[in-house]
Amino acid sequence: MSQPATQEEAFHTCHECALSVSIPSLKIGQQACCPGCGFVLTQVHKNAILRIIALSISALIFLVPSISFDFISIESNGLENTFSISQSFSILFENNYLALAILELVTVFIIPVVILVGLLYLLIPLSRGKAPPYALVIMRLVFKLMPWAMVEIFLIGVLVSLIKIVAFADIEIGQSFISFILFSLCLTIVNLHIDKHQLADLLIRTSDKVIDPATLSHSRPINRSLSIQNTWALLITAIIVFIPANVLPIMHTELLGKSDPSTIIGGVFLLWELKSYPIAIIIFIASVVVPVVKIIVLIWLNFSVQCRTTGLQKQRITLHRMAEFIGRWSMVDVFVVIILVSLIQLGNTISIYPGTASVAFSAVVVLTMLAAMSFEPKLIWNRPNQNVK
């Protein structure tokens, strides 16, 4: 965000260490970082409001052809199948894969659309110097939903699926595929330009009502015991669900009437045997290494704040940032299954169906994301002004 510039000086409570920081007026291209933990508090982008408005409108425009036309077409042994995203939902629903259909619909379309429409609702009036009704509620909703928009992860899943398919079928890219790439690109640039501090500051100065800056920051009281208990509950549940996610088949391939179940690890080994080394490594890291590492990191972090450990604060906050950032990318394997199930439906010749592990693994990703969100990073620092209950 960039305009208007911040007033002479503003105070901000750091989201990650609860340090009260004085933020001076920033020039375009400058950013303010917390001196305690290094967290980027705010960054000023040139013409950010106008860019976000333009890109949000563009993203919504590109979304329409993304779901209206053919996405991918394949041909194998004289059999053809065309896949569109709208057909993907219907295929999953018709085959009673309700959880996967809802997951795809919510994370790839509904949440991104709500974010884009919410930003337009906020920024178009704000750019004219007037705050819209319920602006505070909409702003909070937008930032709560942003981690759950997985358009770029879905796109990576599509690319991984195409690499798997190209070994046995001819592929033709449809109009929707290009539109979806542009939709994903616009949404990604919007996320890079949006800045909560700048937006909150603009909202305060344009609102007709008096808004307490504390209500827009992360300075809420911290309930130590509740945060720790919630994180433990989510982590234990994720560990339990992680077992069937890796033991049970994540998808079934029916080739000439014979069913061949495949687990996550089995799929990695198969790709390695087929000499698809980069894809095998990507799937192994995203589906095995990332969830395991994230669970271990969150266990250590939660145990350390429960024991009120005072050392390695910067290392622990770095690990927490890493866990928050990489956790959602494990969903790429689930999206690969969704794409393959939607696309590879060639009757008795070859068809792919999701296994129980696909739902279990989705639950692991969601649970670990919720665990990272429920963990309170301020507890790492034990600052006297944290307002801890």
Side-chain angles (χ1 to χ4, degrees), residues 88-102 341 353-355 358-359:
S88 173
F89 301 139
S90 61
I91 290 172
L92 293 171
F93 274 115
E94 289 170 3
N95 289 278
N96 297 320
Y97 307 127
L98 185 61
L100 295 179
I102 293 175
V341 168
Y353 303 97
S358 60
V359 177

Side-chain angles (χ1 to χ4, degrees), residues 64-72 83-86 174-176 179:
V64 175
S66 294
I67 60 177
S68 304
F69 301 105
D70 292 343
F71 197 79
I72 301 170
F83 158 72
S84 68
I85 293 179
S86 58
Q175 294 176 329
S176 289
S179 298

Side-chain angles (χ1 to χ4, degrees), residues 350-372:
I350 182 170
S351 296
I352 294 179
Y353 303 97
T356 308
S358 60
V359 177
F361 189 78
S362 302
V364 171
V365 177
V366 171
L367 288 166
T368 53
M369 287 180 65
L370 291 172

Side-chain angles (χ1 to χ4, degrees), residues 322-343:
M322 179 193 72
E324 276 197 317
F325 175 76
I326 67 173
R328 56 200 295 272
W329 285 91
S330 296
M331 197 65 78
V332 66
D333 206 18
V334 178
F335 288 140
V336 168
V337 173
I338 290 175
I339 296 297
L340 292 177
V341 168
S342 304
L343 189 58

Side-chain angles (χ1 to χ4, degrees), residues 81-125:
N81 190 33
T82 300
F83 158 72
S84 68
I85 293 179
S86 58
Q87 288 176 340
S88 173
F89 301 139
S90 61
I91 290 172
L92 293 171
F93 274 115
E94 289 170 3
N95 289 278
N96 297 320
Y97 307 127
L98 185 61
L100 295 179
I102 293 175
L103 177 69
E104 180 186 10
L105 183 63
V106 171
T107 61
V108 181
F109 293 99
I110 293 179
I111 288 179
V113 168
V114 172
I115 290 172
L116 293 169
V117 172
L119 288 174
L120 291 174
Y121 175 83
L122 288 171
L123 295 180
I124 291 177

Side-chain angles (χ1 to χ4, degrees), residues 368-387:
T368 53
M369 287 180 65
L370 291 172
M373 293 175 184
S374 69
F375 177 80
E376 185 53 72
K378 297 185 184 74
L379 297 177
I380 292 175
W381 301 88
N382 296 308
R383 297 195 188 282
N385 61 335
Q386 283 182 332
N387 194 14

